[in-house]
Amino acid sequence: MEKSPTTSSKSIERFWDRYLELLHNQGIKPSADRWYVIHAERYIKSFPDKKLADHGPQEVTGYLQQLGRTRRFRDRPRFSPSNVSLLRLCTRLFP
């Protein structure tokens, strides 16, 4: 017998559906979905003890500053589209 998804897994699925819908509404092509999800997952995992709903501009700013300090990121000539998208989302979420 197959188990039904838990409330938590349903909530997570709804979150990612809303996230992708927001990206698509901003003109991001569905073919890039996975790349954006990977970056969002990295952001979320960088705050293991804090719910995403409790994040504010300071968490986003700190994350992007830390990202900017990494060698891999510094060597890139510009922001990656995924990081720019994260900035756009944060601007929308935290006016």
Side-chain angles (χ1 to χ4, degrees), residues 12 15-16 34 37-52 55 59 63 86:
I12 292 168
F15 167 80
W16 289 114
R34 188 66 198 138
V37 168
I38 288 169
H39 281 279
E41 287 172 336
R42 286 180 187 160
Y43 171 78
I44 293 166
K45 287 177 184 176
S46 72
F47 296 94
D49 299 325
K50 192 168 194 173
K51 289 184 176 183
L52 189 57
H55 289 215
E59 285 82 13
Y63 176 79
L86 179 59

Side-chain angles (χ1 to χ4, degrees), residues 10-74:
K10 288 180 184 178
S11 296
I12 292 168
E13 187 176 333
R14 279 194 310 273
F15 167 80
W16 289 114
D17 288 344
R18 287 191 311 265
Y19 175 75
L20 294 173
E21 181 181 354
L22 182 58
L23 287 176
H24 299 159
N25 289 340
Q26 292 183 15
I28 304 301
K29 295 183 187 210
S31 60
D33 286 355
R34 188 66 198 138
W35 185 245
Y36 285 89
V37 168
I38 288 169
H39 281 279
E41 287 172 336
R42 286 180 187 160
Y43 171 78
I44 293 166
K45 287 177 184 176
S46 72
F47 296 94
D49 299 325
K50 192 168 194 173
K51 289 184 176 183
L52 189 57
D54 296 333
H55 289 215
Q58 64 276 8
E59 285 82 13
V60 175
T61 300
Y63 176 79
L64 292 172
Q65 287 173 341
Q66 183 62 35
L67 188 64
R69 289 186 194 106
T70 64
R71 179 187 166 119
R72 191 179 90 182
F73 187 77
R74 275 196 326 256

